[in-house]
Amino acid sequence: MRENGGPVVTDFNYTPSHQKQFLQPAVGTTVSSHQDLKQIVEMTLGSEGVLNQAVKLPRGEDENEWCAVHCVDFYNQINMLYGTITEFCSPQSCPRMIATNEYEYLWCFQKGQVPVAVSAPKYVECLMRWCQDQFDDESIFPAKLSGQFPPKFISKYVVQMLRRLFRVYAHIYCHHFNEILELNLQTVLNTSFRHFCLFSQEFELLRPADFGPLLELVMELRDR
Amino acid sequence: DIDITSSPKKLPAGFHEKAKSHKTQRVVSVCQMYFLDYYCDMFDYVISRRQRTKRVLEYLSQQRAQKSLGNERLNEEWTGYLQKEHEVLRKRRLKPKNKDFE
């Protein structure tokens, strides 16, 4: 994929456009390099647009439940992905939760208080705990079969959660992509993020502004 | 365009030592296994659910053609099927994951 055939050089200039070229070979319809999975996918839905198909609401299903399942899935995926770079994302390396130098995400510790700048690991920790608290709240994510979702569940809770979870992808892409490449996790990261984008797109959950630092990358995934 | 050919890899100090550590190797392989499991399971679910729905719809249209079931009964059967699927989906969200036992 590299045009000049020169030495493999990973650049990291905090701009998504420079990362793009490294994303191209990995992002695609191949879900994983693992042969079994590739076969399963090819045998069943065909390798074209498997994820695009998989995010669609099953016939007759409640949209709230479908979104709730995906919130939990993306939460788990991001937890796994971030878990691999915790050694490299410390309060020293990342004293602020940023994605490129243009975006900084603040955390609000108490309702009504001014959001404050925290380190990236602190932000992720707070975010994950906040998600967990929502999942455990029976009035938001009902666990009983008789449990109902609250009114405006998607616009009030799902959108909010995805908007925040996205920021972890943004931080990883913008500040730890080289580590991800070295650990050979780029396929996993790209698949997860692509799945996240396709899902958000399918149900029109996130606005372009929510994709801030990764907008360019998101547009490319969309056109693929 | 910016020439990046001479740009060094910007990895944090001590990256390779940490990357080779047992702890990192372990979380990386757990992560890869997790995604492999997840996507196998997810595709399996999506595909088998579609097949189930297809079979139910075929059955219902057959019944309608033979006029062996009234419209009301057909609707009931369809709603009942959807309710069952809905319960399965909710359980998927709540099911204990392997990682809970690690």
Side-chain angles (χ1 to χ4, degrees), chain A residues 57-128:
Chain A
L57 184 69
R59 192 165 173 168
E61 185 53 77
D62 171 21
E63 206 170 308
N64 288 335
E65 190 64 64
W66 190 240
C67 284
V69 174
H70 280 82
C71 277
V72 175
D73 287 357
F74 291 129
Y75 164 88
N76 285 330
Q77 292 195 358
I78 289 170
N79 225 351
M80 279 289 161
L81 286 167
Y82 187 76
T84 63
I85 55 151
T86 43
E87 289 278 302
F88 314 110
C89 184
S90 65
Q92 291 73 44
S93 73
C94 305
R96 311 186 83 170
M97 179 60 177
I98 55 169
T100 75
N101 287 326
E102 284 172 56
Y103 292 84
E104 173 162 14
Y105 304 112
L106 308 176
W107 190 261
C108 184
F109 283 94
Q110 247 170 358
K111 234 183 180 159
Q113 272 187 1
V114 183
V116 292
V118 291
S119 71
K122 183 78 188 158
Y123 187 94
V124 176
E125 187 199 321
C126 292
L127 171 55
M128 292 324 218

XYZ file of all heavy atoms in Angstrom, chain A residues 57-128:
582
model
N -31.443 -3.162 12.361
C -32.418 -3.615 13.360
C -33.105 -4.884 12.862
O -33.705 -4.885 11.793
C -33.454 -2.510 13.588
C -34.492 -2.757 14.671
C -33.854 -2.727 16.049
C -35.617 -1.732 14.580
N -33.040 -5.975 13.649
C -33.734 -7.188 13.208
C -35.239 -6.916 13.081
O -35.791 -6.112 13.832
C -33.457 -8.184 14.334
C -32.282 -7.665 15.056
C -32.341 -6.170 14.927
N -35.836 -7.588 12.137
C -37.252 -7.360 11.867
C -38.102 -7.514 13.133
O -38.021 -8.546 13.807
C -37.702 -8.363 10.815
C -39.048 -8.044 10.264
C -39.297 -8.803 9.010
N -40.678 -8.592 8.609
C -41.155 -8.927 7.431
N -40.380 -9.496 6.546
N -42.414 -8.705 7.143
N -38.874 -6.491 13.425
C -39.798 -6.554 14.554
C -39.188 -6.286 15.925
O -39.891 -6.306 16.924
N -37.884 -6.028 15.968
C -37.236 -5.825 17.273
C -37.432 -4.387 17.764
O -37.595 -3.459 16.967
C -35.741 -6.167 17.173
C -34.974 -6.106 18.481
C -35.612 -6.942 19.584
O -35.474 -8.184 19.569
O -36.259 -6.337 20.461
N -37.410 -4.234 19.067
C -37.517 -2.922 19.709
C -36.180 -2.187 19.553
O -35.131 -2.710 19.913
C -37.852 -3.156 21.193
C -37.785 -1.870 22.014
O -37.884 -0.780 21.414
O -37.644 -1.971 23.245
N -36.261 -0.977 19.024
C -35.040 -0.207 18.769
C -34.272 0.094 20.057
O -33.041 0.103 20.075
C -35.403 1.099 18.053
C -34.270 1.644 17.207
C -34.712 2.796 16.316
O -35.710 2.642 15.590
O -34.059 3.859 16.369
N -35.003 0.320 21.140
C -34.343 0.592 22.430
C -33.455 -0.577 22.862
O -32.331 -0.385 23.301
C -35.385 0.818 23.527
C -36.096 2.144 23.366
O -35.550 3.082 22.771
N -37.301 2.234 23.875
N -34.000 -1.785 22.744
C -33.251 -2.961 23.189
C -32.006 -3.168 22.319
O -30.924 -3.472 22.813
C -34.148 -4.202 23.134
C -33.558 -5.428 23.799
C -33.362 -5.262 25.302
O -34.352 -5.113 26.015
O -32.202 -5.255 25.753
N -32.183 -2.957 21.033
C -31.072 -3.121 20.085
C -29.952 -2.119 20.414
O -28.772 -2.451 20.408
C -31.609 -2.934 18.659
C -30.675 -3.296 17.551
C -30.225 -2.456 16.572
C -30.098 -4.586 17.266
N -29.411 -3.147 15.706
C -29.309 -4.451 16.104
C -30.164 -5.836 17.880
C -28.596 -5.511 15.549
C -29.451 -6.899 17.329
C -28.683 -6.726 16.185
N -30.350 -0.891 20.735
C -29.356 0.143 21.086
C -28.705 -0.183 22.429
O -27.500 0.017 22.604
C -30.012 1.517 21.144
S -30.338 2.198 19.519
N -29.495 -0.679 23.374
C -28.956 -0.991 24.698
C -27.899 -2.089 24.596
O -26.832 -2.004 25.206
C -30.091 -1.430 25.631
N -28.191 -3.128 23.808
C -27.231 -4.219 23.627
C -25.933 -3.663 23.036
O -24.834 -4.018 23.474
C -27.815 -5.321 22.709
C -26.771 -6.373 22.401
C -29.023 -5.970 23.357
N -26.068 -2.780 22.071
C -24.873 -2.229 21.436
C -24.076 -1.312 22.365
O -22.855 -1.273 22.283
C -25.239 -1.526 20.123
C -25.428 -2.498 19.000
N -26.601 -3.191 18.814
C -24.566 -2.939 18.049
C -26.457 -4.008 17.779
N -25.237 -3.874 17.291
N -24.770 -0.584 23.217
C -24.051 0.243 24.202
C -23.139 -0.644 25.052
O -21.974 -0.329 25.270
C -25.034 0.955 25.133
S -25.697 2.461 24.445
N -23.692 -1.741 25.529
C -22.917 -2.648 26.370
C -21.750 -3.248 25.567
O -20.624 -3.322 26.050
C -23.819 -3.761 26.963
C -22.998 -4.772 27.731
C -24.886 -3.154 27.865
N -22.034 -3.638 24.335
C -20.986 -4.230 23.493
C -19.837 -3.244 23.245
O -18.663 -3.601 23.381
C -21.562 -4.657 22.133
C -22.428 -5.906 22.249
O -22.524 -6.457 23.350
O -22.995 -6.325 21.224
N -20.171 -2.014 22.883
C -19.108 -1.042 22.602
C -18.347 -0.672 23.876
O -17.142 -0.463 23.848
C -19.668 0.205 21.901
C -20.126 -0.074 20.495
C -21.384 0.308 20.063
C -19.304 -0.743 19.599
C -21.816 0.033 18.767
C -19.722 -1.032 18.300
C -20.984 -0.639 17.892
N -19.066 -0.613 24.977
C -18.409 -0.380 26.267
C -17.364 -1.476 26.524
O -16.223 -1.197 26.869
C -19.471 -0.348 27.379
C -18.924 -0.498 28.768
C -18.494 0.614 29.496
C -18.827 -1.762 29.366
C -17.981 0.463 30.772
C -18.308 -1.911 30.638
C -17.884 -0.794 31.340
O -17.365 -0.958 32.598
N -17.758 -2.726 26.335
C -16.833 -3.840 26.553
C -15.658 -3.792 25.584
O -14.509 -4.040 25.968
C -17.564 -5.180 26.384
C -18.458 -5.498 27.575
O -18.164 -5.088 28.699
N -19.547 -6.188 27.328
N -15.938 -3.477 24.337
C -14.867 -3.420 23.332
C -13.847 -2.345 23.691
O -12.636 -2.566 23.618
C -15.455 -3.122 21.950
C -16.292 -4.259 21.409
C -16.562 -4.116 19.925
O -16.148 -3.146 19.292
N -17.260 -5.078 19.355
N -14.348 -1.169 24.062
C -13.450 -0.066 24.389
C -12.649 -0.374 25.648
O -11.454 -0.071 25.732
C -14.255 1.251 24.504
C -14.717 1.660 23.105
C -13.442 2.362 25.153
C -15.713 2.778 23.070
N -13.300 -1.026 26.591
C -12.607 -1.455 27.799
C -11.429 -2.359 27.453
O -10.324 -2.208 27.981
C -13.594 -2.233 28.668
C -13.507 -1.823 30.105
O -12.611 -1.078 30.503
N -14.433 -2.309 30.903
N -11.671 -3.307 26.558
C -10.633 -4.234 26.118
C -9.511 -3.490 25.398
O -8.324 -3.733 25.657
C -11.234 -5.260 25.147
C -11.945 -6.381 25.831
S -10.728 -7.427 26.642
C -11.774 -8.266 27.795
N -9.892 -2.621 24.474
C -8.889 -1.898 23.682
C -8.042 -0.997 24.570
O -6.812 -0.990 24.488
C -9.575 -1.051 22.600
C -10.144 -1.828 21.421
C -11.062 -0.947 20.598
C -8.998 -2.356 20.545
N -8.707 -0.241 25.415
C -7.956 0.671 26.276
C -7.090 -0.112 27.255
O -5.974 0.306 27.573
C -8.910 1.629 27.011
C -8.158 2.697 27.769
C -7.580 3.771 27.097
C -7.982 2.604 29.150
C -6.851 4.729 27.776
C -7.258 3.560 29.834
C -6.697 4.621 29.149
O -5.960 5.566 29.816
N -7.585 -1.258 27.676
C -6.832 -2.114 28.584
C -5.461 -2.504 28.057
O -4.522 -2.700 28.825
N -5.338 -2.597 26.738
C -4.041 -3.001 26.163
C -3.011 -1.880 26.202
O -1.823 -2.133 26.065
C -4.181 -3.446 24.694
O -4.646 -2.339 23.911
C -5.142 -4.614 24.561
N -3.460 -0.643 26.327
C -2.490 0.459 26.317
C -2.407 1.193 27.648
O -1.782 2.255 27.741
C -2.774 1.475 25.180
C -4.206 1.985 25.268
C -2.480 0.868 23.821
C -4.367 3.376 24.724
N -3.002 0.621 28.683
C -2.952 1.314 29.982
C -1.511 1.546 30.439
O -1.229 2.526 31.108
C -3.701 0.537 31.086
O -3.361 -0.843 30.960
C -5.191 0.705 30.978
N -0.614 0.636 30.058
C 0.795 0.803 30.422
C 1.403 2.048 29.768
O 2.395 2.587 30.239
C 1.602 -0.419 29.961
C 1.327 -1.674 30.738
C 2.105 -1.719 32.041
O 3.348 -1.652 31.979
O 1.473 -1.805 33.094
N 0.814 2.426 28.637
C 1.396 3.528 27.854
C 0.604 4.817 27.966
O 0.984 5.837 27.413
C 1.515 3.115 26.382
C 2.092 1.740 26.220
C 1.308 0.691 25.779
C 3.415 1.492 26.562
C 1.829 -0.589 25.669
C 3.939 0.217 26.447
C 3.155 -0.825 26.001
N -0.521 4.751 28.640
C -1.357 5.939 28.788
C -1.444 6.235 30.282
O -2.292 5.701 30.986
C -2.751 5.684 28.204
S -3.834 7.133 28.234
N -0.526 7.045 30.758
C -0.441 7.337 32.187
C -0.697 8.825 32.424
O -0.703 9.603 31.473
C 0.951 6.966 32.683
O 1.899 7.800 32.049
N -0.879 9.213 33.676
C -1.049 10.651 33.953
C 0.181 11.462 33.501
O 0.064 12.638 33.202
C -1.208 10.705 35.473
C -1.648 9.346 35.870
C -1.044 8.398 34.880
N 1.349 10.789 33.432
C 2.561 11.483 32.968
C 2.547 11.639 31.447
O 2.816 12.708 30.925
C 3.825 10.713 33.392
C 4.103 10.734 34.887
C 3.141 9.835 35.682
O 2.861 8.703 35.278
N 2.624 10.346 36.786
N 2.221 10.540 30.730
C 2.245 10.615 29.267
C 1.065 11.428 28.731
O 1.175 12.114 27.730
C 2.245 9.217 28.653
O 0.973 8.616 28.785
N -0.069 11.329 29.401
C -1.277 12.002 28.930
C -1.932 12.759 30.085
O -2.962 12.318 30.609
C -2.260 10.993 28.345
S -1.560 9.969 27.051
N -1.344 13.886 30.489
C -1.894 14.621 31.644
C -3.271 15.231 31.382
O -3.954 15.637 32.324
C -0.851 15.711 31.916
C -0.067 15.839 30.660
C -0.125 14.510 29.963
N -3.645 15.301 30.106
C -4.982 15.817 29.790
C -5.658 14.901 28.789
O -5.002 14.281 27.963
C -4.874 17.235 29.196
C -3.974 18.129 30.042
C -3.980 19.544 29.547
N -5.139 20.251 30.073
C -5.289 21.576 29.951
N -4.403 22.289 29.303
N -6.350 22.151 30.470
N -6.991 14.832 28.878
C -7.756 13.969 27.971
C -7.969 14.730 26.665
O -8.948 15.450 26.502
C -9.103 13.589 28.605
C -9.976 12.714 27.724
S -9.182 11.146 27.297
C -10.489 10.352 26.360
N -7.009 14.564 25.778
C -7.096 15.279 24.507
C -7.147 14.309 23.326
O -6.838 13.125 23.468
C -5.897 16.242 24.319
C -4.577 15.479 24.460
C -5.978 17.401 25.306
C -3.360 16.278 24.041
N -7.555 14.844 22.183
C -7.497 14.103 20.917
C -7.045 15.135 19.901
O -7.794 16.059 19.597
C -8.862 13.538 20.556
N -5.832 15.029 19.438
C -5.102 16.084 18.726
C -4.969 17.263 19.696
O -5.478 17.204 20.820
C -5.779 16.561 17.418
O -6.899 17.390 17.721
C -6.198 15.407 16.544
N -4.336 18.312 19.249
C -4.203 19.453 20.155
C -5.414 20.362 20.121
O -5.490 21.344 20.845
C -2.934 20.237 19.822
C -1.709 19.457 20.271
O -1.746 18.763 21.292
N -0.637 19.531 19.498
N -6.372 20.009 19.271
C -7.539 20.883 19.121
C -8.700 20.492 20.024
O -9.599 21.289 20.247
C -8.023 20.857 17.672
C -7.151 21.657 16.732
C -7.572 21.424 15.295
O -8.759 21.645 14.991
O -6.714 21.003 14.497
N -8.708 19.252 20.493
C -9.852 18.787 21.280
C -9.420 18.349 22.663
O -8.490 17.562 22.808
C -10.547 17.613 20.589
C -11.230 17.999 19.310
C -10.522 18.060 18.112
C -12.579 18.340 19.305
C -11.146 18.438 16.929
C -13.213 18.724 18.126
C -12.493 18.761 16.943
O -13.116 19.134 15.781
N -10.112 18.883 23.646
C -9.887 18.411 25.006
C -11.241 18.106 25.631
O -12.196 18.874 25.486
C -9.153 19.451 25.853
C -9.076 18.997 27.309
C -8.032 19.706 28.137
O -7.521 20.747 27.695
O -7.746 19.208 29.244
N -11.336 16.962 26.315
C -12.585 16.577 26.950
C -12.433 16.721 28.464
O -11.464 16.255 29.048
C -12.939 15.139 26.562
C -13.013 14.948 25.059
C -12.078 14.172 24.385
C -14.006 15.592 24.315
C -12.139 14.018 22.997
C -14.075 15.446 22.939
C -13.138 14.655 22.282
O -13.194 14.507 20.920
N -13.397 17.405 29.052
C -13.362 17.661 30.493
C -14.359 16.746 31.196
O -15.313 16.277 30.590
C -13.731 19.127 30.756
C -12.928 20.179 29.969
C -13.464 21.579 30.261
C -11.438 20.100 30.279
N -14.111 16.509 32.469
C -15.037 15.671 33.219
C -15.726 16.493 34.299
O -15.078 17.282 34.986
C -14.317 14.480 33.866
C -15.312 13.512 34.424
C -15.706 13.402 35.709
C -16.061 12.553 33.675
N -16.671 12.425 35.818
C -16.906 11.886 34.585
C -16.107 12.195 32.309
C -17.796 10.885 34.191
C -16.985 11.194 31.924
C -17.810 10.548 32.866
N -17.018 16.273 34.410
C -17.789 16.987 35.425
C -18.056 16.029 36.587
O -18.742 15.028 36.420
C -19.102 17.458 34.821
S -20.068 18.425 35.955
N -17.465 16.317 37.740
C -17.580 15.378 38.855
C -18.911 15.467 39.586
O -19.370 14.495 40.146
C -16.418 15.561 39.828
C -15.153 14.943 39.300
C -14.226 15.701 38.596
C -14.901 13.592 39.479
C -13.076 15.126 38.082
C -13.755 13.002 38.968
C -12.841 13.771 38.269
N -19.495 16.666 39.584
C -20.780 16.789 40.254
C -21.702 17.668 39.445
O -21.253 18.651 38.851
C -20.589 17.374 41.648
C -20.918 16.360 42.716
C -20.514 16.840 44.086
O -19.940 17.918 44.251
N -20.819 16.034 45.085
N -22.945 17.279 39.423
C -23.937 18.034 38.679
C -23.902 19.499 39.102
O -23.841 19.802 40.282
C -25.328 17.452 38.926
C -26.022 17.111 37.620
C -27.410 16.597 37.834
C -28.004 16.300 36.457
N -29.105 15.381 36.509
N -23.882 20.387 38.115
C -23.902 21.797 38.430
C -22.526 22.398 38.606
O -22.356 23.610 38.637
N -21.514 21.503 38.734
C -20.155 22.024 38.868
C -19.507 22.196 37.502
O -19.919 21.592 36.528
C -19.312 21.067 39.707
C -19.414 21.364 41.195
C -18.448 20.515 41.997
O -17.692 19.721 41.447
N -18.474 20.695 43.299
N -18.475 23.017 37.487
C -17.765 23.269 36.238
C -16.934 22.030 35.889
O -16.227 21.500 36.744
C -16.828 24.495 36.384
C -16.145 24.819 35.064
C -17.618 25.686 36.888
N -17.021 21.539 34.629
C -16.184 20.398 34.236
C -14.704 20.775 34.314
O -14.339 21.916 34.027
C -16.585 20.140 32.777
C -17.855 20.881 32.566
C -17.856 22.025 33.530
N -13.904 19.808 34.729
C -12.477 20.108 34.908
C -11.601 19.222 34.030
O -11.998 18.143 33.606
C -12.045 19.919 36.392
C -12.685 20.978 37.274
C -12.397 18.517 36.890
N -10.386 19.702 33.776
C -9.418 18.933 33.004
C -8.851 17.833 33.879
O -8.447 18.084 35.020
C -8.303 19.851 32.513
N -8.835 16.615 33.372
C -8.240 15.495 34.095
C -7.318 14.744 33.131
O -7.385 14.944 31.923
C -9.304 14.520 34.660
C -10.097 15.154 35.780
C -10.229 14.013 33.563
N -6.486 13.863 33.687
C -5.603 13.076 32.819
C -6.437 12.064 32.031
O -7.553 11.724 32.430
C -4.549 12.363 33.655
O -5.144 11.323 34.389
N -5.854 11.585 30.937
C -6.589 10.617 30.106
C -6.986 9.365 30.891
O -8.151 8.953 30.825
C -5.786 10.264 28.861
N -6.063 8.738 31.641
C -6.501 7.538 32.375
C -7.595 7.825 33.399
O -8.503 7.009 33.596
C -5.231 7.025 33.057
C -4.190 8.038 32.862
C -4.614 8.928 31.743
N -7.517 9.005 34.024
C -8.559 9.377 34.988
C -9.896 9.543 34.272
O -10.935 9.083 34.756
C -8.158 10.693 35.684
C -9.125 11.147 36.754
C -8.926 10.364 38.031
C -10.017 10.667 39.040
N -10.148 9.594 40.029
N -9.861 10.194 33.109
C -11.084 10.416 32.350
C -11.726 9.079 31.963
O -12.915 8.874 32.132
C -10.793 11.235 31.084
C -12.035 11.641 30.327
C -12.631 12.885 30.546
C -12.622 10.785 29.404
C -13.783 13.252 29.865
C -13.777 11.134 28.723
C -14.350 12.371 28.954
O -15.502 12.724 28.281
N -10.890 8.166 31.455
C -11.411 6.867 31.018
C -11.982 6.106 32.219
O -13.044 5.496 32.129
C -10.323 6.045 30.289
C -10.840 4.655 29.931
C -9.868 6.771 29.030
N -11.282 6.187 33.339
C -11.759 5.513 34.544
C -13.133 6.056 34.967
O -14.059 5.290 35.238
C -10.732 5.738 35.672
C -11.010 4.968 36.950
C -10.272 5.576 38.144
O -9.108 6.011 37.967
O -10.868 5.636 39.228
N -13.254 7.393 34.995
C -14.537 8.021 35.371
C -15.626 7.644 34.381
O -16.761 7.345 34.763
C -14.409 9.541 35.400
S -13.356 10.159 36.703
N -15.269 7.671 33.108
C -16.238 7.377 32.052
C -16.753 5.943 32.169
O -17.960 5.688 32.079
C -15.586 7.607 30.683
C -16.341 7.156 29.439
C -17.724 7.770 29.386
C -15.574 7.532 28.180
N -15.820 4.999 32.387
C -16.224 3.604 32.465
C -17.096 3.357 33.693
O -18.067 2.608 33.633
C -14.995 2.682 32.469
C -14.242 2.691 31.144
S -15.319 2.836 29.689
C -14.535 1.777 28.531
